Each structure stands twice: as C-alpha cells, then as structure tokens.
C-alpha cells in the first residue's frame, strides 16, 4: 500500500519517517520528495507498506499527528495521472 504523507518538517529524514510508520507494520520503502534544483525537501513524501491492513491503520492513526512540531497529513496515495511525454525545450 502506498501512502502519501504531507506537511512534513523540511529537516525530517527518510529514516526517521520510516521509523514512525514501522510502528504499524513492515515498511517497504520511504521517499521524501526533493526539489530537483536545490535538493531541499518539498515537505511531502510517500511510504510504501507491505500489508494493506497495516497501512490502513497507520493512515487512520497518523493523520493529523504531530511530528517535529507539525501536524502531518496522511492518506492513501492516488495513482499518478497519465501525462503526455515531455518535449525537448531546445
């Protein structure tokens, strides 16, 4: 199950985020989205959990929870919409 996590502290690392979700079950992967140009975190990311029931419990209990002074937004991730291929800009 893929989970969206928003309103993250910009200094929160992927390991720390993974530890929070590991309390609810097996975490397969953690990805905090970063700005391509600066490498700075954008304040949101995704956590993939192995078992859907554990992911559902994490979503239910962590949505609105305080992490590093911020109330995080947690919900089941929606699939990315199909986009046309990018054209070269040059």
């Amino acid at each position: 199950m893929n989970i969206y996590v928003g309103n993250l502290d910009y200094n929160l690392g992927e390991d720390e985020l993974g530890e929070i979700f590991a309390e609810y079950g097996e975490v397969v992967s953690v990805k905090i989205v970063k700005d391509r140009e600066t490498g700075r975190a954008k304040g949101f990311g995704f956590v993939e959990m192995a078992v859907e029931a554990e992911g559902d419990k994490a979503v239910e209990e962590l949505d609105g929870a305080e992490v590093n002074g911020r109330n995080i937004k947690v919900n089941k991730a929606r699939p990315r919409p199909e986009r046309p291929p990018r054209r070269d800009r040059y």
Side-chain angles (χ1 to χ4, degrees), residues 71-89:
N71 293 89
I72 61 173
K73 179 70 183 156
V74 182
N75 54 45
K76 192 172 184 177
R78 294 187 301 258
R80 280 182 113 173
E82 287 291 321
R83 294 183 358 187
R86 293 177 71 170
R87 295 189 335 208
D88 292 333
R89 295 181 185 183

Side-chain angles (χ1 to χ4, degrees), residues 1-3 5 13-32 45-52 54-55 58-59 62:
M1 169 179 202
N2 202 17
I3 301 167
V5 188
E14 290 179 348
D15 289 341
E16 294 169 285
L17 184 57
E19 288 172 15
I20 292 166
F21 279 82
E23 293 180 27
Y24 296 91
E26 182 186 348
V27 174
V28 175
S29 67
V30 178
K31 175 71 176 161
I32 293 179
F46 298 90
V47 175
E48 184 180 353
M49 297 192 71
V51 179
E52 186 143 357
E54 294 171 348
V59 168
L62 290 174

